[in-house]
Amino acid sequence: MSPVFPMLTVLSMFYYMCLRRRARTATRGEMNSRRAIESNTRALPINVEIVQYAKEVLDFSSHYGSENSMSYTMWNLAGIPNVYPSSGDFTQTAVFRTYGTWWDRCPSARLPFRRTPSTFCSQDYVELAFEEPVYPTAVHILETYHPGAVVRILACSANPYSQNPPAEVRWEILWSEPPTKVIGPQARQFTPCINQINFPTNLIRLEVNSSLLDYYTELDAVVLHGVKERPVLSLKTSMIDMNDIDEDEDEEKFGCGMDTLNKQFSIVTLREWPTNGYFDKLPYELIQLILSHLTVPDLCRLAQTCKLLYQHCCDPLQYIHLSLQPYWARINDTSLEYLQSRCTLIQWLNLSWTGNRGAISVSGFSRFLKACGSELVRLELSCGHFLNETCLEVITEMCPNLQELNLSSCDKIPPQAFNHIAKVGSLKRLILYRTKVEQTALLSILNFCSELQHLSLGSCVMIEDYDLIASMMGAKCKKLRSLDLWRCKNITESGIAELASGCQLLEELDLGWCPTLQSSTGCFTNLARKLPNLQKLFLTANRSVCDTDIEELAANCTHLRQLDILGTRMVSPASLRKLLESCKDLSLLDVSFCSQIDNRVVLELNANFPNVFIKKSFTQ
């Protein structure tokens, strides 16, 4: 009888593996119950489906529009459609700040983090609240121009209108796909096949990737279909709930199995193996190089295999560059605590999108930086709504070597908190897009951070006098290479003159939607003559840009690669030809809504200059 037992053991293991495999590959609808659902179960009556449009836009990472208007803003996603089924460029839609790969090809582009999982490709997001929590049955996204940017749809267990915040906030993926190229810019209703979830939701998150688009994507509305009661399907085969099995191998549930990362971070008990196989024969440096290609969750799993690999996977050298943004929904104080011992040498840290809804506390963030901030050079905190003045004070005290700080869309930081940034004199890059930084704090920062090379002040609406700011830049920031003044409302030719005279190393300048600048004052001509190194210049929606400005750019800025003159009425085809002939490196030219540049002219220019992407937007 003894030979039978090994055979039974093998068969039972095989059967167990098959069950695990079955549970991992089954649809979410098949795994609704914590117990097995027996075959031949009669289907329950179908619930009445609730159809609802978004009630409110709760959060977003960027938008094309202004903070003080509705045109091209994310707030247009609330309520019924404004445009659909029409196609074209309409101000009543929601538009993100970037598209294509142009922002990755300019002087201000940042180097990517290693170890970003291939399944994470999101660049922007928007979170929408609905009136009634439901079990989603469908999500309709009404796209009115250049569709195809949505790459992930998520649902949250937290009810934004509940008076009692939940002890645990869960996010589940309803749908996820890599970005795909959609032929044509026409409107469409995008209705992907979504997964079923085991909790009702009235908080939906869309994540987008616009890298394959030829222009800005425009979204009009989001429709959530769902039922009040949890649906139970009639199935012909037995099922096993995902919650009844070990989740260590369920990588599809969210990204790379971040549900178990906290547990994996803290594991110290390892199996005893007689040898470490061939790894014992490899040089330490070679093993480190091999492991450097693994994602963070994979490192945590590998650390549980043997003592040798545990030593390698916990080596601080593996965490010199660490991006936790792909796992934003699972990162909390416990995660940071477990990572502390591994991040003592960390230089690049990305915590963008993390910590919201109480996941990361001020004390938890502060403890981590006090333990791991001494070598930090780059810190990404985009959309970190847990940040407050204490956090900025800790950053400036604990990170003496900091050179890059990204606070993009951290709109919950109080204005007075930004004064602390002036203490970091080594800063070379500072991103304050959509923050509440005020003039006094910014002047202090510019005065003490003279090493700044890249500065973003886009949509900073609380600055009263941009001419004074530009004057300070010209006097103190001589090394400035890129400057974003997108939707700066009050800069004039005086500020531009001070800026051009003092910051002659500028290679990138965004003056889009700056209504107080007028070509008749000579401000654009002055820019062209004083800034010969310009590679990117955005003069978006400035109707006064004229042929003289374009000809000056052609004569003086021969390294120009990207030019946006959307909306001007004063530029002729002849001046554009001069520009294209002179600027051999030009790759992007946006002439949307330029009244003298019709489709015939664009076709002619495309034929003569095939290496230049010439964009002509339209409205129907």
Side-chain angles (χ1 to χ4, degrees):
M1 293 295 292
S2 57
V4 175
F5 290 99
M7 182 60 69
L8 288 176
T9 302
V10 171
L11 288 175
S12 62
M13 290 179 62
F14 177 76
Y15 183 66
Y16 175 67
M17 292 171 62
C18 289
L19 287 178
R20 288 172 64 89
R21 180 76 173 177
R22 174 68 175 132
R24 289 172 59 194
T25 57
T27 64
R28 298 292 295 172
E30 294 172 325
M31 293 182 285
N32 275 324
S33 174
R34 290 195 61 85
R35 58 182 177 82
I37 302 175
E38 297 182 358
S39 60
N40 300 323
T41 301
R42 183 170 58 88
L44 297 178
I46 299 177
N47 291 320
V48 176
E49 190 172 59
I50 298 174
V51 179
Q52 49 187 333
Y53 291 96
K55 178 182 179 180
E56 184 182 358
V57 176
L58 297 179
D59 189 22
F60 55 90
S61 55
S62 77
H63 60 184
Y64 186 88
S66 167
E67 302 301 296
N68 299 321
S69 77
M70 291 296 291
S71 297
Y72 296 124
T73 63
M74 287 297 119
W75 299 304
N76 285 319
L77 278 175
I80 62 175
N82 298 308
V83 174
Y84 187 85
S86 298
S87 296
D89 191 338
F90 290 90
T91 61
Q92 302 95 323
T93 58
V95 184
F96 291 99
R97 176 74 193 275
T98 65
Y99 73 93
T101 58
W102 307 110
W103 277 258
D104 296 326
R105 303 187 202 174
C106 54
S108 64
R110 288 164 287 169
L111 293 174
F113 276 77
R114 294 179 299 163
R115 286 199 167 113
T116 301
S118 59
T119 54
F120 182 80
C121 55
S122 304
Q123 298 173 333
D124 276 296
Y125 73 85
V126 58
E127 292 180 0
L128 307 170
F130 295 79
E131 184 70 35
E132 295 288 337
V134 295
Y135 292 92
T137 56
V139 177
H140 302 315
I141 304 171
L142 307 183
E143 303 172 280
T144 55
Y145 199 38
H146 288 279
V150 178
V151 293
R152 193 155 69 161
I153 306 173
L154 302 101
C156 185
S157 63
N159 184 342
Y161 301 120
S162 174
Q163 299 298 320
N164 302 313
E168 179 187 13
V169 177
R170 294 173 54 199
W171 285 91
E172 292 284 352
I173 296 177
L174 296 177
W175 173 86
S176 179
E177 290 288 343
T180 55
K181 180 77 171 181
V182 176
I183 305 301
Q186 288 74 24
R188 72 170 185 177
Q189 176 180 290
F190 179 51
T191 308
C193 182
I194 64 173
N195 301 321
Q196 290 192 17
I197 57 176
N198 59 7
F199 57 80
T201 184
N202 62 339
L203 175 52
I204 297 295
R205 175 176 171 126
L206 308 182
E207 294 185 356
V208 304
N209 181 311
S210 303
S211 62
L212 298 183
L213 300 185
D214 292 332
Y215 206 56
Y216 300 95
T217 190
E218 299 192 7
L219 310 179
D220 193 12
V222 177
V223 191
L224 175 62
H225 292 239
V227 293
K228 296 294 289 184
E229 298 296 328
R230 182 176 176 181
V232 179
L233 300 184
S234 175
L235 304 172
K236 296 183 179 180
T237 56
S238 296
M239 306 301 162
I240 291 182
D241 190 293
M242 184 180 295
N243 294 319
D244 290 333
I245 62 174
D246 187 357
E247 292 182 350
D248 285 357
E249 296 187 26
D250 177 30
E251 295 187 358
E252 295 300 323
K253 184 171 182 183
F254 194 96
C256 294
M258 286 301 296
D259 279 339
T260 57
L261 263 192
N262 291 343
K263 179 177 67 177
Q264 291 168 353
F265 283 148
S266 61
I267 288 177
V268 294
T269 304
L270 301 169
R271 301 176 184 176
E272 291 292 337
W273 295 97
T275 68
N276 294 314
Y278 289 103
F279 279 100
D280 279 330
K281 301 180 180 180
L282 295 178
Y284 192 93
E285 294 80 4
L286 181 55
I287 299 177
Q288 285 285 294
L289 179 61
I290 294 172
L291 299 189
S292 69
H293 296 281
L294 297 180
T295 63
V296 175
D298 289 337
L299 274 180
C300 295
R301 295 188 187 100
L302 190 62
Q304 303 173 50
T305 57
C306 67
K307 289 185 176 180
L308 176 65
L309 291 180
Y310 175 83
Q311 179 184 0
H312 279 281
C313 292
C314 295
D315 192 321
L317 291 174
Q318 287 291 335
Y319 299 85
I320 298 294
H321 294 178
L322 177 63
S323 176
L324 297 176
Q325 183 180 4
Y327 321 111
W328 58 265
R330 303 294 187 243
I331 298 300
N332 54 28
D333 283 349
T334 307
S335 309
L336 296 182
E337 182 181 351
Y338 288 146
L339 281 167
Q340 279 187 21
S341 62
R342 307 182 185 194
C343 295
T344 54
L345 300 178
I346 191 169
Q347 296 178 8
W348 288 14
L349 175 62
N350 185 359
L351 286 174
S352 295
W353 302 5
T354 66
N356 298 332
R357 295 184 174 84
I360 294 179
S361 66
V362 172
S363 58
F365 177 77
S366 301
R367 283 194 303 271
F368 183 82
L369 278 196
K370 287 176 181 178
C372 308
S374 61
E375 302 296 324
L376 210 57
V377 174
R378 176 179 175 183
L379 182 57
E380 304 280 341
L381 295 169
S382 173
C383 304
H385 299 314
F386 66 91
L387 296 170
N388 63 8
E389 182 171 4
T390 300
C391 294
L392 290 195
E393 186 174 8
V394 169
I395 290 172
T396 58
E397 290 178 357
M398 297 296 114
C399 307
N401 298 308
L402 196 63
Q403 296 181 10
E404 300 187 22
L405 178 60
N406 180 5
L407 298 175
S408 171
S409 291
C410 293
D411 53 1
K412 302 294 190 296
I413 300 177
Q416 70 276 7
F418 293 93
N419 283 294
H420 294 287
I421 298 177
K423 303 172 188 175
V424 190
S426 57
L427 273 182
K428 294 183 178 180
R429 183 190 302 271
L430 179 60
I431 302 177
L432 298 176
Y433 167 71
R434 290 192 64 238
T435 62
K436 295 178 180 177
V437 61
E438 288 183 331
Q439 185 165 301
T440 303
L442 185 55
L443 288 172
S444 179
I445 292 170
L446 296 175
N447 185 44
F448 291 103
C449 301
S450 58
E451 297 297 312
L452 275 174
Q453 297 180 16
H454 305 281
L455 178 62
S456 174
L457 300 174
S459 293
C460 291
V461 298
M462 299 189 71
I463 297 174
E464 300 170 355
D465 187 352
Y466 268 99
D467 281 346
L468 183 58
I469 297 298
S471 176
M472 180 65 80
M473 290 180 198
K476 296 291 185 176
C477 303
K478 302 292 186 180
K479 299 179 181 180
L480 206 60
R481 292 181 53 215
S482 73
L483 177 61
D484 179 9
L485 295 177
W486 175 262
R487 293 191 178 274
C488 153
K489 293 297 183 183
N490 52 40
I491 193 168
T492 68
E493 66 277 5
S494 174
I496 292 297
E498 296 278 357
L499 183 68
S501 297
C503 304
Q504 297 190 0
L505 297 179
L506 271 174
E507 299 173 353
E508 176 180 342
L509 181 59
D510 193 334
L511 297 172
W513 296 88
C514 295
T516 50
L517 293 176
Q518 293 297 315
S519 174
S520 58
T521 64
C523 58
F524 302 135
T525 298
N526 190 29
L527 277 179
R529 292 173 179 173
K530 294 285 184 66
L531 304 177
N533 298 315
L534 273 181
Q535 297 180 28
K536 173 182 175 179
L537 178 62
F538 275 27
L539 302 175
T540 316
N542 193 305
R543 299 182 185 278
S544 70
V545 176
C546 62
D547 282 345
T548 301
D549 303 318
I550 302 301
E551 289 169 2
E552 287 288 346
L553 287 172
N556 298 287
C557 303
T558 56
H559 301 295
L560 200 62
R561 296 175 181 269
Q562 300 179 29
L563 177 64
D564 186 344
I565 53 172
L566 175 149
T568 181
R569 301 171 179 174
M570 313 289 288
V571 172
S572 67
S575 64
L576 288 184
R577 290 189 191 96
K578 291 181 181 179
L579 179 76
L580 291 166
E581 290 169 356
S582 176
C583 301
K584 302 298 184 182
D585 296 327
L586 196 67
S587 56
L588 171 65
L589 177 60
D590 194 336
V591 292
S592 299
F593 302 108
C594 294
S595 55
Q596 294 191 45
I597 313 299
D598 56 25
N599 288 333
R600 179 187 58 80
V601 173
V602 171
L603 289 174
E604 176 193 336
L605 294 176
N606 274 326
N608 293 328
F609 304 95
N611 294 328
V612 183
F613 178 77
I614 303 175
K615 180 58 188 175
K616 176 71 173 177
S617 186
F618 72 97
T619 300
Q620 289 183 348

